[in-house]
Amino acid sequence: MTMRRIMISLVAAAALGTTGCVRGANPARMPFAQQPVGAQVTLQARSARYVGELLEVRNDGLVLMEPKGRILFAPFSVVRRLTANKLGDAFGLTAGMPNADRIARLRSISHFPQGMTPDIQKRLLALMAQPEITVVR
């Protein structure tokens, strides 16, 4: 192969490598990526169905805020299914403990991907006039 053909092949490969195809919704265009909000999710627990903003993903469960402001904690042990509106299965959950990759993916679409500090949690609960986070059973 001539030097010219090698260079053309390298340039073509580089150009193809930088153009990717995105299948489904682009998370960068979702409201939670543009504003300080978490993804809107639907959580089916053992006891009931909840809809709200995904505030935080902890190692043992999910923190949500319902539309009327009630803050909930759902341990993974009670989660039957979680769907993130307009994001598809890549950001969902089914029953059981999710692996570390799934937890990291969910954290990336939450309001507090780094987690809530105790001070932030205290202020948020005070703002919502809620003495403590309600645990979903």
Side-chain angles (χ1 to χ4, degrees), residues 71-89:
I71 300 168
L72 308 168
F73 173 72
F76 289 126
S77 61
V78 303
V79 175
R80 295 293 168 247
R81 183 166 177 78
L82 176 85
T83 55
N85 299 358
K86 301 179 184 176
L87 291 179
D89 291 339

Side-chain angles (χ1 to χ4, degrees), residues 82-122:
L82 176 85
T83 55
N85 299 358
K86 301 179 184 176
L87 291 179
D89 291 339
F91 292 93
L93 282 179
T94 54
M97 182 67 187
N99 63 30
D101 289 339
R102 184 59 54 123
I103 289 174
R105 187 174 297 141
L106 289 169
R107 280 184 178 142
S108 75
I109 63 169
S110 71
H111 188 110
F112 298 101
Q114 73 287 358
M116 274 193 282
T117 64
D119 185 54
I120 289 173
Q121 180 176 311
K122 182 179 174 183

Side-chain angles (χ1 to χ4, degrees), residues 6 17 22 25 39 44-45 60 62-63 65 70 74-75 85 92 94 108 124:
I6 292 172
V22 176
Q44 181 62 53
D60 58 344
L62 309 164
V63 179
M65 183 164 53
R70 185 170 69 150
N85 299 358
T94 54
S108 75
L124 187 58

Side-chain angles (χ1 to χ4, degrees), residues 1-24:
M1 204 179 238
T2 68
M3 183 58 84
R4 182 173 182 201
R5 283 189 181 172
I6 292 172
M7 291 302 288
I8 291 172
S9 296
L10 288 173
V11 169
L16 287 174
T18 60
T19 59
C21 103
V22 176
R23 188 169 185 205

